[in-house]
Amino acid sequence: MESTNEFLSEMYGAHPKHYVAVDCVIFGYNNGELKLLLYPRSFEPSKGNWSLPGGFVQNYESSDQAAIRILKKTTGLDNIFMEQVAAFTEPERERSARVISLAYYALVRLDKYDDNLLKEHGATWYALTDMPDLIFDHNEMVAKALAKLQYTAGYQLVGSELLPELFTLTQLRRLYEAIFQRELDPGNFRKKILSLGILKKSNKKDSTESKKGAYYYCYHQEGIDEKEIGRIIKV
């Protein structure tokens, strides 16, 4: 009778072995533009070309844990908002080996990341509208990640991950315009956002937007996750 190890070796040994990688589409926001963090690839193939931050899933970790590790290594931040986007499995996506990649998108406050870490990796923030061509299928990853972000932002407010703790409704609208890449009606946006009951008005004003000034808002911390808010923006 075959031993368990021999049986498993026979069963699994008959199948090809693949590498599993994680690639992170890291979005930031500044001055009305959605930003994307890229770095020059440090090894062949495609050494020196622009790439998304990524790495291989290790034996001891899940793909989520690998993404968290890569985000920490790249930005120095913990507890980053992230979501899995899709699996990229085309056999010829990398020439050197069969690599299956799981893409994630993450949202990062540009005033919180570790700038020294970014310089160490040669990473650069690019405006989404002006990013260079990327290696392999990373352009497709970015496109699908943006679609996923748009869907998420259509049903829940994402400003807390990309804006300061206090922000005006104009700043929130401009963030949404950057995400959806189109102008939104100011009056309709304001009415919809305030009707959600998620924002709390502060007693502070931003005097740069108008002579009267615009009140700053922040997020209510209680009941946000449980609140069903419906569609905010139509994709």
Side-chain angles (χ1 to χ4, degrees), residues 93-142:
R93 61 177 303 274
E94 289 198 31
R95 297 189 303 273
S96 55
R98 180 72 196 275
V99 181
I100 293 172
S101 182
L102 303 175
Y104 287 75
Y105 85 84
L107 305 179
V108 172
R109 285 263 304 273
L110 292 188
D111 60 340
K112 288 191 173 183
Y113 69 87
D114 189 328
D115 191 48
N116 290 326
L117 274 179
L118 265 61
K119 290 178 181 178
E120 180 182 327
H121 294 291
T124 302
W125 288 102
Y126 275 91
L128 194 63
T129 54
D130 192 35
M131 72 176 196
D133 194 41
L134 306 181
I135 65 169
F136 309 144
D137 49 7
H138 288 197
N139 283 50
E140 184 184 357
M141 290 181 182
V142 173

mmCIF file of all heavy atoms in Angstrom, residues 93-142:
data_model
loop_
_atom_site.group_PDB
_atom_site.id
_atom_site.type_symbol
_atom_site.label_atom_id
_atom_site.label_comp_id
_atom_site.label_asym_id
_atom_site.label_seq_id
_atom_site.Cartn_x
_atom_site.Cartn_y
_atom_site.Cartn_z
ATOM 1 N N ARG A 93 1.735 36.167 -19.444
ATOM 2 C CA ARG A 93 1.811 37.534 -18.874
ATOM 3 C C ARG A 93 3.226 37.887 -18.427
ATOM 4 O O ARG A 93 3.602 39.049 -18.409
ATOM 5 C CB ARG A 93 0.806 37.707 -17.737
ATOM 6 C CG ARG A 93 0.958 36.794 -16.541
ATOM 7 C CD ARG A 93 -0.074 37.128 -15.453
ATOM 8 N NE ARG A 93 0.026 38.516 -15.034
ATOM 9 C CZ ARG A 93 0.874 38.929 -14.093
ATOM 10 N NH1 ARG A 93 1.685 38.065 -13.486
ATOM 11 N NH2 ARG A 93 0.917 40.197 -13.771
ATOM 12 N N GLU A 94 4.021 36.883 -18.031
ATOM 13 C CA GLU A 94 5.447 37.086 -17.767
ATOM 14 C C GLU A 94 6.231 36.047 -18.549
ATOM 15 O O GLU A 94 5.863 34.874 -18.577
ATOM 16 C CB GLU A 94 5.759 36.970 -16.271
ATOM 17 C CG GLU A 94 5.239 38.127 -15.443
ATOM 18 C CD GLU A 94 5.920 38.224 -14.085
ATOM 19 O OE1 GLU A 94 7.116 37.849 -13.997
ATOM 20 O OE2 GLU A 94 5.272 38.670 -13.130
ATOM 21 N N ARG A 95 7.315 36.486 -19.167
ATOM 22 C CA ARG A 95 8.069 35.591 -20.052
ATOM 23 C C ARG A 95 8.945 34.606 -19.279
ATOM 24 O O ARG A 95 9.189 33.499 -19.739
ATOM 25 C CB ARG A 95 8.956 36.423 -20.994
ATOM 26 C CG ARG A 95 8.194 37.341 -21.932
ATOM 27 C CD ARG A 95 9.132 37.951 -22.951
ATOM 28 N NE ARG A 95 10.237 38.678 -22.322
ATOM 29 C CZ ARG A 95 10.170 39.944 -21.958
ATOM 30 N NH1 ARG A 95 9.047 40.629 -22.144
ATOM 31 N NH2 ARG A 95 11.210 40.529 -21.407
ATOM 32 N N SER A 96 9.434 34.987 -18.109
ATOM 33 C CA SER A 96 10.443 34.187 -17.419
ATOM 34 C C SER A 96 9.863 32.993 -16.665
ATOM 35 O O SER A 96 10.562 32.017 -16.401
ATOM 36 C CB SER A 96 11.225 35.067 -16.442
ATOM 37 O OG SER A 96 10.332 35.727 -15.553
ATOM 38 N N ALA A 97 8.591 33.069 -16.268
ATOM 39 C CA ALA A 97 7.970 31.994 -15.492
ATOM 40 C C ALA A 97 6.460 32.156 -15.531
ATOM 41 O O ALA A 97 5.936 33.207 -15.915
ATOM 42 C CB ALA A 97 8.460 32.022 -14.043
ATOM 43 N N ARG A 98 5.760 31.101 -15.159
ATOM 44 C CA ARG A 98 4.298 31.184 -15.061
ATOM 45 C C ARG A 98 3.949 31.802 -13.714
ATOM 46 O O ARG A 98 4.127 31.190 -12.656
ATOM 47 C CB ARG A 98 3.677 29.788 -15.181
ATOM 48 C CG ARG A 98 2.142 29.806 -15.081
ATOM 49 C CD ARG A 98 1.508 30.408 -16.330
ATOM 50 N NE ARG A 98 0.130 30.765 -16.101
ATOM 51 C CZ ARG A 98 -0.906 29.921 -16.213
ATOM 52 N NH1 ARG A 98 -0.691 28.645 -16.497
ATOM 53 N NH2 ARG A 98 -2.138 30.339 -16.026
ATOM 54 N N VAL A 99 3.458 33.042 -13.759
ATOM 55 C CA VAL A 99 3.147 33.793 -12.538
ATOM 56 C C VAL A 99 1.684 34.216 -12.570
ATOM 57 O O VAL A 99 1.251 34.911 -13.491
ATOM 58 C CB VAL A 99 4.039 35.039 -12.382
ATOM 59 C CG1 VAL A 99 3.694 35.778 -11.089
ATOM 60 C CG2 VAL A 99 5.508 34.643 -12.387
ATOM 61 N N ILE A 100 0.934 33.802 -11.578
ATOM 62 C CA ILE A 100 -0.444 34.264 -11.387
ATOM 63 C C ILE A 100 -0.407 35.411 -10.388
ATOM 64 O O ILE A 100 0.157 35.280 -9.297
ATOM 65 C CB ILE A 100 -1.327 33.122 -10.867
ATOM 66 C CG1 ILE A 100 -1.469 32.036 -11.933
ATOM 67 C CG2 ILE A 100 -2.699 33.632 -10.436
ATOM 68 C CD1 ILE A 100 -2.153 30.786 -11.455
ATOM 69 N N SER A 101 -0.986 36.540 -10.743
ATOM 70 C CA SER A 101 -0.941 37.713 -9.863
ATOM 71 C C SER A 101 -2.334 38.093 -9.388
ATOM 72 O O SER A 101 -3.284 38.126 -10.171
ATOM 73 C CB SER A 101 -0.317 38.908 -10.580
ATOM 74 O OG SER A 101 -0.233 40.013 -9.695
ATOM 75 N N LEU A 102 -2.427 38.385 -8.102
ATOM 76 C CA LEU A 102 -3.652 38.900 -7.512
ATOM 77 C C LEU A 102 -3.456 40.390 -7.272
ATOM 78 O O LEU A 102 -2.559 40.791 -6.533
ATOM 79 C CB LEU A 102 -3.952 38.181 -6.189
ATOM 80 C CG LEU A 102 -4.070 36.660 -6.282
ATOM 81 C CD1 LEU A 102 -4.246 36.051 -4.904
ATOM 82 C CD2 LEU A 102 -5.215 36.257 -7.188
ATOM 83 N N ALA A 103 -4.270 41.196 -7.929
ATOM 84 C CA ALA A 103 -4.135 42.651 -7.819
ATOM 85 C C ALA A 103 -5.032 43.181 -6.702
ATOM 86 O O ALA A 103 -6.174 42.743 -6.544
ATOM 87 C CB ALA A 103 -4.494 43.323 -9.136
ATOM 88 N N TYR A 104 -4.493 44.113 -5.941
ATOM 89 C CA TYR A 104 -5.223 44.824 -4.889
ATOM 90 C C TYR A 104 -5.127 46.316 -5.154
ATOM 91 O O TYR A 104 -4.133 46.791 -5.712
ATOM 92 C CB TYR A 104 -4.613 44.551 -3.508
ATOM 93 C CG TYR A 104 -4.870 43.175 -2.952
ATOM 94 C CD1 TYR A 104 -4.189 42.065 -3.431
ATOM 95 C CD2 TYR A 104 -5.791 42.982 -1.920
ATOM 96 C CE1 TYR A 104 -4.417 40.797 -2.913
ATOM 97 C CE2 TYR A 104 -6.029 41.717 -1.398
ATOM 98 C CZ TYR A 104 -5.337 40.634 -1.901
ATOM 99 O OH TYR A 104 -5.569 39.388 -1.377
ATOM 100 N N TYR A 105 -6.154 47.055 -4.748
ATOM 101 C CA TYR A 105 -5.973 48.507 -4.725
ATOM 102 C C TYR A 105 -6.006 48.966 -3.274
ATOM 103 O O TYR A 105 -6.650 48.354 -2.415
ATOM 104 C CB TYR A 105 -7.015 49.241 -5.574
ATOM 105 C CG TYR A 105 -8.341 49.539 -4.915
ATOM 106 C CD1 TYR A 105 -8.511 50.678 -4.118
ATOM 107 C CD2 TYR A 105 -9.444 48.710 -5.099
ATOM 108 C CE1 TYR A 105 -9.735 50.957 -3.526
ATOM 109 C CE2 TYR A 105 -10.657 48.984 -4.511
ATOM 110 C CZ TYR A 105 -10.796 50.110 -3.726
ATOM 111 O OH TYR A 105 -12.005 50.393 -3.133
ATOM 112 N N ALA A 106 -5.254 50.028 -3.001
ATOM 113 C CA ALA A 106 -5.142 50.569 -1.646
ATOM 114 C C ALA A 106 -5.257 52.085 -1.717
ATOM 115 O O ALA A 106 -4.931 52.708 -2.734
ATOM 116 C CB ALA A 106 -3.809 50.167 -1.021
ATOM 117 N N LEU A 107 -5.742 52.694 -0.626
ATOM 118 C CA LEU A 107 -5.901 54.144 -0.537
ATOM 119 C C LEU A 107 -4.987 54.669 0.556
ATOM 120 O O LEU A 107 -5.019 54.190 1.690
ATOM 121 C CB LEU A 107 -7.359 54.505 -0.227
ATOM 122 C CG LEU A 107 -8.412 53.943 -1.191
ATOM 123 C CD1 LEU A 107 -9.811 54.367 -0.754
ATOM 124 C CD2 LEU A 107 -8.140 54.396 -2.618
ATOM 125 N N VAL A 108 -4.183 55.682 0.214
ATOM 126 C CA VAL A 108 -3.150 56.186 1.128
ATOM 127 C C VAL A 108 -3.241 57.704 1.220
ATOM 128 O O VAL A 108 -3.341 58.394 0.198
ATOM 129 C CB VAL A 108 -1.745 55.777 0.630
ATOM 130 C CG1 VAL A 108 -0.663 56.451 1.453
ATOM 131 C CG2 VAL A 108 -1.578 54.261 0.697
ATOM 132 N N ARG A 109 -3.210 58.223 2.437
ATOM 133 C CA ARG A 109 -3.120 59.670 2.659
ATOM 134 C C ARG A 109 -1.710 60.131 2.316
ATOM 135 O O ARG A 109 -0.728 59.603 2.842
ATOM 136 C CB ARG A 109 -3.428 59.991 4.122
ATOM 137 C CG ARG A 109 -4.889 59.904 4.521
ATOM 138 C CD ARG A 109 -5.563 61.280 4.493
ATOM 139 N NE ARG A 109 -4.877 62.219 5.335
ATOM 140 C CZ ARG A 109 -5.115 62.385 6.646
ATOM 141 N NH1 ARG A 109 -6.022 61.627 7.261
ATOM 142 N NH2 ARG A 109 -4.450 63.271 7.346
ATOM 143 N N LEU A 110 -1.575 61.121 1.449
ATOM 144 C CA LEU A 110 -0.264 61.562 1.006
ATOM 145 C C LEU A 110 0.520 62.293 2.085
ATOM 146 O O LEU A 110 1.721 62.501 1.943
ATOM 147 C CB LEU A 110 -0.396 62.451 -0.238
ATOM 148 C CG LEU A 110 -0.878 61.744 -1.505
ATOM 149 C CD1 LEU A 110 -0.772 62.667 -2.711
ATOM 150 C CD2 LEU A 110 -0.086 60.479 -1.765
ATOM 151 N N ASP A 111 -0.146 62.678 3.163
ATOM 152 C CA ASP A 111 0.568 63.349 4.251
ATOM 153 C C ASP A 111 1.010 62.368 5.338
ATOM 154 O O ASP A 111 1.548 62.785 6.366
ATOM 155 C CB ASP A 111 -0.293 64.447 4.875
ATOM 156 C CG ASP A 111 -1.595 63.908 5.460
ATOM 157 O OD1 ASP A 111 -2.010 62.803 5.079
ATOM 158 O OD2 ASP A 111 -2.195 64.600 6.298
ATOM 159 N N LYS A 112 0.813 61.065 5.113
ATOM 160 C CA LYS A 112 1.127 60.093 6.156
ATOM 161 C C LYS A 112 2.176 59.051 5.772
ATOM 162 O O LYS A 112 2.752 58.414 6.634
ATOM 163 C CB LYS A 112 -0.154 59.369 6.604
ATOM 164 C CG LYS A 112 -1.094 60.236 7.427
ATOM 165 C CD LYS A 112 -2.192 59.396 8.062
ATOM 166 C CE LYS A 112 -3.030 60.240 9.022
ATOM 167 N NZ LYS A 112 -4.069 59.410 9.695
ATOM 168 N N TYR A 113 2.425 58.855 4.483
ATOM 169 C CA TYR A 113 3.351 57.800 4.098
ATOM 170 C C TYR A 113 4.792 58.182 4.449
ATOM 171 O O TYR A 113 5.106 59.354 4.703
ATOM 172 C CB TYR A 113 3.237 57.488 2.611
ATOM 173 C CG TYR A 113 3.741 58.603 1.705
ATOM 174 C CD1 TYR A 113 5.074 58.685 1.347
ATOM 175 C CD2 TYR A 113 2.868 59.558 1.191
ATOM 176 C CE1 TYR A 113 5.546 59.693 0.527
ATOM 177 C CE2 TYR A 113 3.313 60.568 0.369
ATOM 178 C CZ TYR A 113 4.665 60.630 0.040
ATOM 179 O OH TYR A 113 5.110 61.640 -0.774
ATOM 180 N N ASP A 114 5.670 57.191 4.471
ATOM 181 C CA ASP A 114 7.078 57.386 4.795
ATOM 182 C C ASP A 114 7.840 57.768 3.525
ATOM 183 O O ASP A 114 8.115 56.923 2.678
ATOM 184 C CB ASP A 114 7.655 56.096 5.399
ATOM 185 C CG ASP A 114 9.060 56.283 5.961
ATOM 186 O OD1 ASP A 114 9.812 57.105 5.410
ATOM 187 O OD2 ASP A 114 9.392 55.602 6.945
ATOM 188 N N ASP A 115 8.191 59.049 3.402
ATOM 189 C CA ASP A 115 8.841 59.541 2.193
ATOM 190 C C ASP A 115 10.220 58.907 1.991
ATOM 191 O O ASP A 115 10.648 58.676 0.857
ATOM 192 C CB ASP A 115 8.971 61.062 2.251
ATOM 193 C CG ASP A 115 9.382 61.657 0.915
ATOM 194 O OD1 ASP A 115 8.786 61.301 -0.112
ATOM 195 O OD2 ASP A 115 10.325 62.473 0.894
ATOM 196 N N ASN A 116 10.916 58.601 3.088
ATOM 197 C CA ASN A 116 12.238 57.985 2.968
ATOM 198 C C ASN A 116 12.158 56.594 2.352
ATOM 199 O O ASN A 116 13.037 56.195 1.576
ATOM 200 C CB ASN A 116 12.918 57.905 4.343
ATOM 201 C CG ASN A 116 13.315 59.279 4.856
ATOM 202 O OD1 ASN A 116 13.686 60.154 4.084
ATOM 203 N ND2 ASN A 116 13.242 59.471 6.161
ATOM 204 N N LEU A 117 11.105 55.837 2.713
ATOM 205 C CA LEU A 117 10.927 54.515 2.120
ATOM 206 C C LEU A 117 10.682 54.613 0.623
ATOM 207 O O LEU A 117 11.214 53.819 -0.160
ATOM 208 C CB LEU A 117 9.751 53.791 2.785
ATOM 209 C CG LEU A 117 10.032 53.012 4.065
ATOM 210 C CD1 LEU A 117 8.750 52.374 4.588
ATOM 211 C CD2 LEU A 117 11.086 51.949 3.838
ATOM 212 N N LEU A 118 9.878 55.583 0.232
ATOM 213 C CA LEU A 118 9.607 55.756 -1.191
ATOM 214 C C LEU A 118 10.879 56.093 -1.951
ATOM 215 O O LEU A 118 11.138 55.552 -3.035
ATOM 216 C CB LEU A 118 8.554 56.851 -1.399
ATOM 217 C CG LEU A 118 7.105 56.370 -1.545
ATOM 218 C CD1 LEU A 118 6.654 55.638 -0.288
ATOM 219 C CD2 LEU A 118 6.174 57.532 -1.838
ATOM 220 N N LYS A 119 11.713 56.961 -1.376
ATOM 221 C CA LYS A 119 12.970 57.328 -2.027
ATOM 222 C C LYS A 119 13.903 56.134 -2.106
ATOM 223 O O LYS A 119 14.624 55.948 -3.093
ATOM 224 C CB LYS A 119 13.621 58.472 -1.259
ATOM 225 C CG LYS A 119 12.890 59.802 -1.389
ATOM 226 C CD LYS A 119 13.559 60.885 -0.565
ATOM 227 C CE LYS A 119 12.808 62.217 -0.692
ATOM 228 N NZ LYS A 119 13.425 63.272 0.156
ATOM 229 N N GLU A 120 13.874 55.304 -1.065
ATOM 230 C CA GLU A 120 14.729 54.111 -1.039
ATOM 231 C C GLU A 120 14.394 53.173 -2.188
ATOM 232 O O GLU A 120 15.278 52.555 -2.787
ATOM 233 C CB GLU A 120 14.543 53.388 0.299
ATOM 234 C CG GLU A 120 15.371 52.126 0.462
ATOM 235 C CD GLU A 120 15.111 51.434 1.788
ATOM 236 O OE1 GLU A 120 14.839 52.143 2.781
ATOM 237 O OE2 GLU A 120 15.158 50.188 1.822
ATOM 238 N N HIS A 121 13.117 53.063 -2.516
ATOM 239 C CA HIS A 121 12.685 52.183 -3.603
ATOM 240 C C HIS A 121 12.624 52.905 -4.954
ATOM 241 O O HIS A 121 12.314 52.279 -5.963
ATOM 242 C CB HIS A 121 11.301 51.607 -3.289
ATOM 243 C CG HIS A 121 11.279 50.678 -2.106
ATOM 244 N ND1 HIS A 121 11.863 49.439 -2.115
ATOM 245 C CD2 HIS A 121 10.749 50.827 -0.865
ATOM 246 C CE1 HIS A 121 11.698 48.851 -0.948
ATOM 247 N NE2 HIS A 121 11.022 49.672 -0.166
ATOM 248 N N GLY A 122 12.908 54.213 -4.958
ATOM 249 C CA GLY A 122 12.811 54.973 -6.193
ATOM 250 C C GLY A 122 11.387 55.187 -6.651
ATOM 251 O O GLY A 122 11.124 55.446 -7.828
ATOM 252 N N ALA A 123 10.439 55.066 -5.703
ATOM 253 C CA ALA A 123 9.019 55.184 -6.056
ATOM 254 C C ALA A 123 8.627 56.638 -6.292
ATOM 255 O O ALA A 123 9.193 57.563 -5.692
ATOM 256 C CB ALA A 123 8.163 54.581 -4.945
ATOM 257 N N THR A 124 7.651 56.832 -7.156
ATOM 258 C CA THR A 124 7.194 58.175 -7.536
ATOM 259 C C THR A 124 5.672 58.191 -7.639
ATOM 260 O O THR A 124 5.070 57.236 -8.128
ATOM 261 C CB THR A 124 7.783 58.587 -8.904
ATOM 262 O OG1 THR A 124 9.211 58.547 -8.828
ATOM 263 C CG2 THR A 124 7.340 59.994 -9.287
ATOM 264 N N TRP A 125 5.065 59.291 -7.174
ATOM 265 C CA TRP A 125 3.632 59.488 -7.352
ATOM 266 C C TRP A 125 3.382 60.120 -8.712
ATOM 267 O O TRP A 125 3.930 61.177 -9.019
ATOM 268 C CB TRP A 125 3.063 60.391 -6.260
ATOM 269 C CG TRP A 125 2.986 59.756 -4.906
ATOM 270 C CD1 TRP A 125 3.836 59.951 -3.862
ATOM 271 C CD2 TRP A 125 1.984 58.836 -4.446
ATOM 272 N NE1 TRP A 125 3.437 59.198 -2.779
ATOM 273 C CE2 TRP A 125 2.302 58.511 -3.101
ATOM 274 C CE3 TRP A 125 0.858 58.256 -5.035
ATOM 275 C CZ2 TRP A 125 1.530 57.628 -2.347
ATOM 276 C CZ3 TRP A 125 0.091 57.380 -4.286
ATOM 277 C CH2 TRP A 125 0.423 57.075 -2.963
ATOM 278 N N TYR A 126 2.557 59.480 -9.516
ATOM 279 C CA TYR A 126 2.168 59.999 -10.822
ATOM 280 C C TYR A 126 0.682 60.324 -10.810
ATOM 281 O O TYR A 126 -0.118 59.570 -10.252
ATOM 282 C CB TYR A 126 2.420 58.974 -11.930
ATOM 283 C CG TYR A 126 3.826 58.978 -12.478
ATOM 284 C CD1 TYR A 126 4.804 58.158 -11.941
ATOM 285 C CD2 TYR A 126 4.172 59.813 -13.545
ATOM 286 C CE1 TYR A 126 6.098 58.153 -12.442
ATOM 287 C CE2 TYR A 126 5.456 59.816 -14.060
ATOM 288 C CZ TYR A 126 6.418 58.990 -13.509
ATOM 289 O OH TYR A 126 7.697 58.986 -14.005
ATOM 290 N N ALA A 127 0.329 61.448 -11.447
ATOM 291 C CA ALA A 127 -1.087 61.722 -11.667
ATOM 292 C C ALA A 127 -1.652 60.615 -12.549
ATOM 293 O O ALA A 127 -1.003 60.171 -13.511
ATOM 294 C CB ALA A 127 -1.281 63.079 -12.335
ATOM 295 N N LEU A 128 -2.845 60.153 -12.218
ATOM 296 C CA LEU A 128 -3.451 59.047 -12.960
ATOM 297 C C LEU A 128 -3.609 59.401 -14.432
ATOM 298 O O LEU A 128 -3.520 58.529 -15.305
ATOM 299 C CB LEU A 128 -4.806 58.689 -12.346
ATOM 300 C CG LEU A 128 -5.419 57.368 -12.771
ATOM 301 C CD1 LEU A 128 -4.545 56.197 -12.354
ATOM 302 C CD2 LEU A 128 -6.815 57.209 -12.186
ATOM 303 N N THR A 129 -3.823 60.681 -14.701
ATOM 304 C CA THR A 129 -4.025 61.122 -16.085
ATOM 305 C C THR A 129 -2.704 61.278 -16.841
ATOM 306 O O THR A 129 -2.707 61.570 -18.032
ATOM 307 C CB THR A 129 -4.770 62.468 -16.109
ATOM 308 O OG1 THR A 129 -4.052 63.417 -15.293
ATOM 309 C CG2 THR A 129 -6.178 62.305 -15.550
ATOM 310 N N ASP A 130 -1.570 61.095 -16.152
ATOM 311 C CA ASP A 130 -0.274 61.322 -16.789
ATOM 312 C C ASP A 130 0.722 60.217 -16.439
ATOM 313 O O ASP A 130 1.920 60.452 -16.389
ATOM 314 C CB ASP A 130 0.272 62.687 -16.359
ATOM 315 C CG ASP A 130 1.460 63.126 -17.192
ATOM 316 O OD1 ASP A 130 1.480 62.825 -18.397
ATOM 317 O OD2 ASP A 130 2.390 63.748 -16.635
ATOM 318 N N MET A 131 0.225 59.011 -16.213
ATOM 319 C CA MET A 131 1.137 57.940 -15.797
ATOM 320 C C MET A 131 1.846 57.346 -17.014
ATOM 321 O O MET A 131 1.304 57.333 -18.125
ATOM 322 C CB MET A 131 0.373 56.858 -15.036
ATOM 323 C CG MET A 131 -0.537 56.001 -15.889
ATOM 324 S SD MET A 131 -1.305 54.669 -14.926
ATOM 325 C CE MET A 131 -1.896 53.599 -16.230
ATOM 326 N N PRO A 132 3.060 56.825 -16.820
ATOM 327 C CA PRO A 132 3.788 56.204 -17.932
ATOM 328 C C PRO A 132 3.226 54.827 -18.249
ATOM 329 O O PRO A 132 2.416 54.283 -17.500
ATOM 330 C CB PRO A 132 5.214 56.101 -17.378
ATOM 331 C CG PRO A 132 5.024 55.966 -15.893
ATOM 332 C CD PRO A 132 3.819 56.811 -15.563
ATOM 333 N N ASP A 133 3.698 54.258 -19.342
ATOM 334 C CA ASP A 133 3.307 52.895 -19.680
ATOM 335 C C ASP A 133 3.957 51.932 -18.686
ATOM 336 O O ASP A 133 5.117 52.119 -18.294
ATOM 337 C CB ASP A 133 3.748 52.560 -21.104
ATOM 338 C CG ASP A 133 3.081 51.294 -21.616
ATOM 339 O OD1 ASP A 133 1.885 51.115 -21.359
ATOM 340 O OD2 ASP A 133 3.769 50.494 -22.267
ATOM 341 N N LEU A 134 3.230 50.906 -18.260
ATOM 342 C CA LEU A 134 3.700 49.990 -17.229
ATOM 343 C C LEU A 134 4.046 48.616 -17.804
ATOM 344 O O LEU A 134 3.620 48.272 -18.907
ATOM 345 C CB LEU A 134 2.625 49.834 -16.147
ATOM 346 C CG LEU A 134 2.107 51.122 -15.515
ATOM 347 C CD1 LEU A 134 1.069 50.808 -14.443
ATOM 348 C CD2 LEU A 134 3.243 51.939 -14.931
ATOM 349 N N ILE A 135 4.793 47.835 -17.023
ATOM 350 C CA ILE A 135 5.228 46.517 -17.471
ATOM 351 C C ILE A 135 4.064 45.527 -17.503
ATOM 352 O O ILE A 135 3.038 45.718 -16.855
ATOM 353 C CB ILE A 135 6.341 45.959 -16.560
ATOM 354 C CG1 ILE A 135 5.795 45.713 -15.140
ATOM 355 C CG2 ILE A 135 7.537 46.880 -16.529
ATOM 356 C CD1 ILE A 135 6.731 44.918 -14.260
ATOM 357 N N PHE A 136 4.255 44.460 -18.270
ATOM 358 C CA PHE A 136 3.333 43.323 -18.313
ATOM 359 C C PHE A 136 1.885 43.805 -18.509
ATOM 360 O O PHE A 136 1.605 44.589 -19.402
ATOM 361 C CB PHE A 136 3.477 42.464 -17.065
ATOM 362 C CG PHE A 136 4.888 42.062 -16.739
ATOM 363 C CD1 PHE A 136 5.321 41.968 -15.428
ATOM 364 C CD2 PHE A 136 5.804 41.779 -17.752
ATOM 365 C CE1 PHE A 136 6.627 41.586 -15.127
ATOM 366 C CE2 PHE A 136 7.104 41.396 -17.462
ATOM 367 C CZ PHE A 136 7.517 41.307 -16.146
ATOM 368 N N ASP A 137 0.988 43.345 -17.620
ATOM 369 C CA ASP A 137 -0.421 43.733 -17.696
ATOM 370 C C ASP A 137 -0.805 44.721 -16.596
ATOM 371 O O ASP A 137 -1.957 44.817 -16.206
ATOM 372 C CB ASP A 137 -1.320 42.496 -17.613
ATOM 373 C CG ASP A 137 -0.930 41.579 -16.450
ATOM 374 O OD1 ASP A 137 -0.062 41.962 -15.651
ATOM 375 O OD2 ASP A 137 -1.493 40.472 -16.352
ATOM 376 N N HIS A 138 0.184 45.478 -16.098
ATOM 377 C CA HIS A 138 -0.087 46.395 -14.992
ATOM 378 C C HIS A 138 -1.010 47.547 -15.383
ATOM 379 O O HIS A 138 -1.745 48.072 -14.543
ATOM 380 C CB HIS A 138 1.223 46.928 -14.407
ATOM 381 C CG HIS A 138 1.982 45.894 -13.625
ATOM 382 N ND1 HIS A 138 2.998 46.207 -12.740
ATOM 383 C CD2 HIS A 138 1.852 44.538 -13.583
ATOM 384 C CE1 HIS A 138 3.466 45.091 -12.191
ATOM 385 N NE2 HIS A 138 2.788 44.074 -12.704
ATOM 386 N N ASN A 139 -0.993 47.956 -16.663
ATOM 387 C CA ASN A 139 -1.949 48.982 -17.100
ATOM 388 C C ASN A 139 -3.384 48.484 -16.933
ATOM 389 O O ASN A 139 -4.274 49.229 -16.515
ATOM 390 C CB ASN A 139 -1.703 49.358 -18.558
ATOM 391 C CG ASN A 139 -0.509 50.278 -18.728
ATOM 392 O OD1 ASN A 139 0.561 49.998 -18.209
ATOM 393 N ND2 ASN A 139 -0.678 51.365 -19.456
ATOM 394 N N GLU A 140 -3.594 47.217 -17.270
ATOM 395 C CA GLU A 140 -4.924 46.623 -17.113
ATOM 396 C C GLU A 140 -5.305 46.538 -15.630
ATOM 397 O O GLU A 140 -6.464 46.748 -15.267
ATOM 398 C CB GLU A 140 -4.959 45.233 -17.752
ATOM 399 C CG GLU A 140 -6.333 44.569 -17.719
ATOM 400 C CD GLU A 140 -6.327 43.162 -18.270
ATOM 401 O OE1 GLU A 140 -5.264 42.700 -18.740
ATOM 402 O OE2 GLU A 140 -7.391 42.510 -18.220
ATOM 403 N N MET A 141 -4.340 46.236 -14.781
ATOM 404 C CA MET A 141 -4.596 46.200 -13.343
ATOM 405 C C MET A 141 -5.071 47.562 -12.840
ATOM 406 O O MET A 141 -6.014 47.659 -12.055
ATOM 407 C CB MET A 141 -3.335 45.789 -12.583
ATOM 408 C CG MET A 141 -2.929 44.351 -12.771
ATOM 409 S SD MET A 141 -1.446 43.950 -11.798
ATOM 410 C CE MET A 141 -1.185 42.248 -12.267
ATOM 411 N N VAL A 142 -4.399 48.617 -13.301
ATOM 412 C CA VAL A 142 -4.784 49.969 -12.879
ATOM 413 C C VAL A 142 -6.194 50.293 -13.346
ATOM 414 O O VAL A 142 -7.006 50.839 -12.587
ATOM 415 C CB VAL A 142 -3.775 51.009 -13.423
ATOM 416 C CG1 VAL A 142 -4.271 52.429 -13.134
ATOM 417 C CG2 VAL A 142 -2.403 50.793 -12.798
#
